[in-house]
């Protein structure tokens, strides 16, 4: 089943004060269940927009998003977005309450006790169980993103949409979180669409990599990444792919 | 820290006042000494009269605030739910918000007489608009991400309001309540006093007015003290606690 999640010639135009801005043009791809797709491109090329479209947050001019053959029309808890913005946790809820809340809303778990158990299980998964009673403003940027990931995963979505979730973190925290994410992915078998502008990140995570062109955002190249996991970031294969993608981006910038 | 400084300065002011009145520059009918005021204060509390009037004022303001807040929320909800209501509410605020409650008094007396209803009406008017204005501003300026996340996690309809819109607008809602209370409290005292002049009965404002008729200057000051104390209790204690337990705890203060 290679078309679990499918985009069919997506086009999207933003209207800014009567000026039309074509952000996405004729984007198509499809990925299998449990795969990781990385979308790579320069700042402003429409990566966030594409992810919002996939998640059902935006209207589109043309095309459709299909998940298991069903059209995506609005956001749903089956496809959880981890936003680029670190302030996506609800500041009025503790970390635990943030994870608990969507479980309550979606009536997951038989009892309040069970919901708390589920929440703590996912907080453990992202290494935040000791911080469950903290409020989001008391966490670091990386911890906030991990909590948001726990909140999303606890719903057992079939797709996780991630918009540069580790964007402005230091290199070390970043690769730690990437490895953590791979761990989680292995355990949960969730399908991931991961947006980034970091070639290393795309190479470390993706089974498939889409390189995007700018204004309007188009698919410039699709790259299959067959490297075995865990990936060695110093291997020849890794570095060759890096060079290939780098030259691709370099030409256009 | 803050409290101690206020206590310190209050003490100095009272001391200064005592010195002035002891110097005999003013007759005690014009400026009674702090000692006389405190005596009058204790006496009228003993008589129960001052406390009764205070209770009267407090109950009436709670009633007015309750109704005002209720309608403010109703209108705010309607205005985020329906575009047409948003325009209507905006217009309503533009018209009514700048109108001081006291300016409406003659009209209100004409409509409702000088009874309790009129006072409640003035309080509702004073509190409703600032609360409504702040609440709608809060609702309108919610960071997009919170509603996006809400939709994504499956929160819908009235749930979205109670679990996301309201807490996310808490800084605005609290400042609306603060302003609403302050305006209502001032309007209440003024209304009672003016009604006192035209034969109304009850409340702290009325008490002050009545003591003037009796030439009980110390009694007037005693009522003023109560007004100050209640104002401080509500503004410094109640609202500060409310903020400490919500927006400060959540790291949502703009400071
Ligand atoms: N809500 C919006 N309304 C109008 N224009 C928008 C909107 N969101 C994004 N755009 C425009 O669409 C283009 C693509 O933006 P987008 O956020 O998708 O880029 P991006 O690839 O995610 O960039 P970055 O890597 O910096 O996050 C930009 O030119 C931006 O100005
Ligand atoms: Mg982006």
């Amino acid at each position: 089943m290679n078309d679990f999640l499918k985009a069919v010639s997506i086009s999207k135009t933003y209207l800014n004060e009567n000026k039309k801005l074509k952000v996405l043009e004729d984007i198509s791809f499809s990925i299998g269940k449990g795969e990781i797709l990385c979308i790579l491109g320069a700042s402003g090329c429409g990566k966030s927009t594409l992810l919002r479209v996939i998640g059902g947050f935006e209207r589109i001019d043309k095309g459709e998003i299909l998940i298991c053959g069903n059209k995506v029309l609005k956001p749903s808890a089956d496809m959880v977005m981890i936003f680029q913005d670190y302030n996506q946790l609800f500041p009025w809820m503790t970390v635990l309450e943030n994870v608990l809340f969507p479980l309550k809303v979606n009536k997951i778990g038989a009892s309040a006790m069970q919901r708390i158990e589920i929440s703590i299980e996912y907080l453990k998964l992202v290494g935040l169980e000791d911080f469950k009673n903290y409020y989001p403003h008391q966490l670091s940027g990386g911890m906030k993103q991990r909590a948001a990931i726990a909140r999303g995963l606890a719903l057992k979505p079939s797709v996780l949409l991630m918009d540069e979730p580790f964007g402005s973190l230091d290199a070390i925290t970043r690769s730690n979180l990437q490895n953590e994410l791979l761990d989680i992915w292995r355990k949960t078998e969730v399908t991931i669409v991961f947006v980034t502008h970091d070639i290393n990140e795309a190479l470390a995570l993706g089974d498939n990599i889409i390189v995007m062109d700018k204004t309007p955002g188009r698919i410039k190249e699709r790259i299959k990444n067959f490297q075995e996991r865990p990936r060695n970031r110093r291997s020849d294969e890794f570095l060759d792919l890096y060079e290939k993608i780098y030259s691709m981006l370099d030409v256009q910038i | 820290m803050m409290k101690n400084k206020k206590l310190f300065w209050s003490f100095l002011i009272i001391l200064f006042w005592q010195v002035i009145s002891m110097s005999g520059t003013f007759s005690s009918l014009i400026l009674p000494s702090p000692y006389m005021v405190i005596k009058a204060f204790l006496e009228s509390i003993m008589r129960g009269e001052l406390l009764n009037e205070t209770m009267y004022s407090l109950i009436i303001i709670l009633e007015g605030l309750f109704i005002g807040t209720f309608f403010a929320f109703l209108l705010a909800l309607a205005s985020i739910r329906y575009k047409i209501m948003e325009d209507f509410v905006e217009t309503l605020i533009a018209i009514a918000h700048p109108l001081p409650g006291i300016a409406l008094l003659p009209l209100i007396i004409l409509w409702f007489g000088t009874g309790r209803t009129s006072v409640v009406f003035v309080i509702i008017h004073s509190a409703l608009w600032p609360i409504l204005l702040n609440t709608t501003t809060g609702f309108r300026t919610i960071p997009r991400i919170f509603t996006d996340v809400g939709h994504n996690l499956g929160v819908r309809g009235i749930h979205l309001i109670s679990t996301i819109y309201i807490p996310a607008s808490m800084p605005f809602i609290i400042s609306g309540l603060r302003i609403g209370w302050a305006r209502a409290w001032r309007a209440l005292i003024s209304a009672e006093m003016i009604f006192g002049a035209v034969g109304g009965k009850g409340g702290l404002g009325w008490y002050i007015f009545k003591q003037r008729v009796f030439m009980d200057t110390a009694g007037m000051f005693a009522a003023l003290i109560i007004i100050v104390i209640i104002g401080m209790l509500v503004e410094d204690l109640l609202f500060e606690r409310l903020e400490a337990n919500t927006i400060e705890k959540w790291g949502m203060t703009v400071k």
Side-chain angles (χ1 to χ4, degrees), chain A residues 52 57-58 74-77 79-81 83 85 87-92 101-102 105-106 135 137 151 155, chain B residues 144-156 159 163-165 167-169 245 247-252:
Chain A
R52 291 180 63 86
F57 292 94
E58 299 281 346
K74 57 178 179 21
S76 86
M79 238 197 305
V80 173
M81 173 91 98
F83 291 86
D85 189 340
N87 297 314
Q88 60 193 297
L89 296 172
F90 298 127
W92 53 92
F101 172 64
V105 172
N106 291 284
Y135 281 93
H137 74 103
R151 176 173 70 181
L155 288 169
Chain B
R144 168 89 181 272
I145 188 144
F146 293 148
T147 47
D148 274 351
V149 170
H151 287 135
N152 197 179
L153 300 178
V155 193
R156 305 258 182 272
H159 231 88
T163 57
I164 294 176
Y165 272 81
S169 327
N245 283 309
I247 56 181
E248 268 169 43
K249 192 165 82 179
W250 305 335
M252 284 173 78

Side-chain angles (χ1 to χ4, degrees), chain A residues 14 16 21 23 42-50 84 163-164 197:
Chain A
Y14 276 124
N16 281 333
L21 177 68
V23 185
S43 185
C45 74
K47 302 182 298 295
S48 294
T49 307
L50 177 56
Q84 196 168 0
D163 191 357
E164 299 187 40
H197 57 233

